[in-house]
Amino acid sequence: MPQFQPSVWIFVVFALLALAALAGIGFFIADRLQPVIMNALRSNDRLPSLQSRRRGARRRQEDDEPADDLDDSTQLVLSMLSLASVVVDDQDEVVRANPAAYRLGLVRDDTLIEPTLLDAVHKVMKDGSRCSFDLETQTPEQFMTMNGFDAAAADDGLTAEASSRPNWLKVTVGRIGDHLVLVLINDVSESIRFAQIRDSFISNVSEQLLQPTRALERLADSLESADVSHEQLSNHARQVRHSCVRLDRMISDLLMLIKAQEPVTASEANRCDLFSQVSGAVDDLAGTARDAGVQVRVGGKSPVMIHGEADQIRMAVRKMVENAIVYSHPGGAVGVSVALSSDGKNAVVRVIDHGEGVPKADLPRIFERFYRGSNQNERTTDGIGLGLAIVKHAALAHHGDVTVWSAPGQGSTFTLSLPVGD
């Protein structure tokens, strides 16, 4: 039996170890490459279908007309327009809309919601014509302005009434591409409201001026008549006096209302204490409150400094308190408070009564000139309807606001908010 040298055995052992190492490395590499190879094989199997789909997509893109879109120049022109605008495609989707279109109740969730306008868009899209028409819409609920909010009123269980005024629009619809329609909206609401207020103002003032004139005519007829009794003559004279007092009050209110149209500029010269003006206004109405059997309580922070015309502030507070007194029940109470807002930026006058309250139908118009609500009583029959209008315009002139929270049978809370003086 041949004998192997030790060196041979060593060589054989190392050879076997080398083969084992190479086999291990091979299995390791194969294990790592298997997923890659399988993915490559599957990709090769899918390649014809992917290529065919891509070729089909390219053919469809070549066959279809290119999609219309707003180029930069068109967008620039639309952004420079003072009119509100909406661009709609042939799928009724809103491509572009001015924020005013949402506020005016034309667009919601990128869709036209006004049926008349949508019909006009369809017609223009179909025949390529252009049309213009007048349209009246209502402001959506989320854009409504509230007639006031007050934490104390909410705690008392009073309900809020949001007011929405109609919007009068002049609309023009025209096509600007094969698949796009442009809607231009001219909001003429303010001019129409101004005309309505002007006509109402002239009508109401004329009616107020006619009352003393007619009373004077009756008195003159009585004086000319030989058989008129002394009692009739005295009655006609009282009517003339009453009409003259009413006319004098109306002229004073009108002058105050006109004065309140001019914005107040803050200065050191017109810095005043709001609490003092509120206390003075309540003192002015002591006789009125006593005759009505209503107690007025004043409280709150003092002093609270603001910038403003003292006469206007005092008159505005007086109108608020007077309104609360005449609509309160005999034996009732009116609370008047002066405080700072939670952020300390505004001085707040709050007048709370527990009287008749304001009907919901009257709330949207309660601050209009000459407006008289449906909840009148024997103490309010001689009212003119300018008191709350004075409050509103005085608040605006002082860069503030006035709000009301009310419910029938639960009373009302009027809140006057003015910026705090530096």
Side-chain angles (χ1 to χ4, degrees):
M1 183 174 185
Q3 299 291 324
F4 292 98
Q5 298 295 327
S7 59
V8 175
W9 285 110
I10 293 172
F11 174 80
V12 172
V13 170
F14 274 103
L16 291 174
L17 290 174
L19 290 173
L22 290 173
I25 293 172
F27 282 117
F28 176 82
I29 294 174
D31 183 67
R32 295 295 182 184
L33 290 178
Q34 182 179 0
V36 178
I37 295 171
M38 295 302 296
N39 286 335
L41 292 175
R42 285 195 294 267
S43 298
N44 288 334
D45 291 339
R46 284 201 323 255
L47 186 60
S49 60
L50 285 173
Q51 290 176 340
S52 63
R53 282 202 296 269
R54 289 170 183 163
R55 285 195 297 269
R58 283 197 297 270
R59 283 196 299 270
R60 286 193 298 272
Q61 186 175 359
E62 292 171 358
D63 293 339
D64 293 343
E65 295 182 0
D68 282 330
D69 198 2
L70 294 177
D71 54 35
D72 293 341
S73 59
T74 303
Q75 294 190 38
L76 179 60
V77 171
L78 292 178
S79 65
M80 294 174 61
L81 290 176
S82 59
L83 304 179
S85 61
V86 180
V87 179
V88 188
D89 64 15
D90 53 3
Q91 302 299 318
D92 293 342
E93 292 289 333
V94 174
V95 177
R96 184 184 189 279
N98 188 285
Y102 293 85
R103 177 180 56 81
L104 295 172
L106 299 175
V107 179
R108 183 176 62 236
D109 298 331
D110 297 330
T111 304
L112 286 178
I113 60 172
E114 171 54 49
T116 303
L117 180 57
L118 192 58
D119 291 342
V121 168
H122 290 164
K123 179 179 182 300
V124 168
M125 183 71 73
K126 181 179 179 180
D127 56 25
S129 61
R130 188 184 71 175
C131 64
S132 298
F133 54 92
D134 295 332
L135 185 64
E136 183 176 337
T137 65
Q138 293 291 328
T139 304
E141 183 177 355
Q142 62 268 33
F143 298 102
M144 291 181 184
T145 56
M146 303 300 292
N147 279 333
F149 176 77
D150 177 86
D155 292 340
D156 289 341
L158 302 184
T159 57
E161 179 70 14
S163 61
S164 173
R165 296 184 300 180
N167 305 302
W168 289 278
L169 314 174
K170 291 188 176 296
V171 180
T172 301
V173 183
R175 203 163 72 181
I176 58 174
D178 292 338
H179 302 281
L180 295 178
V181 169
L182 173 63
V183 180
L184 294 178
I185 306 108
N186 183 16
D187 184 5
V188 296
S189 304
E190 289 304 318
S191 60
I192 291 179
R193 290 190 188 106
F194 177 80
Q196 291 177 342
I197 291 174
R198 179 197 59 203
D199 295 343
S200 176
F201 181 83
I202 294 173
S203 174
N204 282 282
V205 170
S206 301
E207 182 179 349
Q208 298 294 333
L209 291 174
L210 285 174
Q211 291 182 9
T213 302
R214 291 166 181 163
L216 284 172
E217 289 178 352
R218 287 192 294 269
L219 178 60
D221 292 340
S222 298
L223 292 173
E224 290 178 350
S225 177
D227 57 349
V228 65
S229 66
H230 183 269
E231 183 180 355
Q232 289 176 324
L233 187 61
S234 298
N235 182 45
H236 291 160
R238 282 194 297 269
Q239 292 178 3
V240 170
R241 182 181 296 277
H242 176 77
S243 297
C244 289
V245 171
R246 183 183 172 88
L247 180 61
D248 181 69
R249 190 167 70 249
M250 185 192 72
I251 293 174
S252 297
D253 285 353
L254 285 174
L255 291 175
M256 182 59 69
L257 188 61
I258 292 171
K259 188 176 181 181
Q261 305 297 314
E262 187 69 24
V264 175
T265 302
S267 68
E268 188 62 30
N270 61 14
R271 199 164 181 264
C272 63
D273 177 22
L274 180 59
F275 189 87
S276 298
Q277 301 306 320
V278 170
S279 298
V282 173
D283 290 341
D284 294 340
L285 294 168
T288 303
R290 184 174 54 253
D291 294 341
V294 175
Q295 185 177 5
V296 181
R297 303 187 183 98
V298 183
K301 184 177 177 59
S302 175
V304 177
M305 305 308 294
I306 62 169
H307 291 287
E309 297 292 335
D311 292 342
Q312 288 189 37
I313 298 298
R314 186 163 178 159
M315 176 61 74
V317 175
R318 178 175 174 172
K319 293 295 184 182
M320 292 170 62
V321 177
E322 183 179 20
N323 187 77
I325 291 173
V326 298
Y327 285 103
S328 293
H329 303 296
V334 172
V336 184
S337 65
V338 181
L340 292 176
S341 60
S342 57
D343 58 7
K345 295 181 179 180
N346 292 293
V348 179
V349 179
R350 187 168 290 120
V351 179
I352 303 175
D353 70 74
H354 302 282
E356 301 175 6
V358 182
K360 289 186 177 181
D362 293 334
L363 276 174
R365 302 187 60 190
I366 196 170
F367 293 106
E368 290 183 11
R369 302 177 183 91
F370 295 108
Y371 182 75
R372 305 277 289 150
S374 58
N375 59 336
Q376 304 304 313
N377 56 46
E378 60 182 9
R379 295 197 303 272
T380 65
T381 53
D382 287 337
I384 300 171
L386 290 176
L388 293 179
I390 291 175
V391 177
K392 171 189 173 183
H393 286 279
L396 295 177
H398 288 77
H399 313 286
D401 191 18
V402 61
T403 57
V404 58
W405 233 240
S406 187
Q410 299 185 49
S412 304
T413 298
F414 285 82
T415 304
L416 174 65
S417 179
L418 303 172
V420 171
D422 299 329

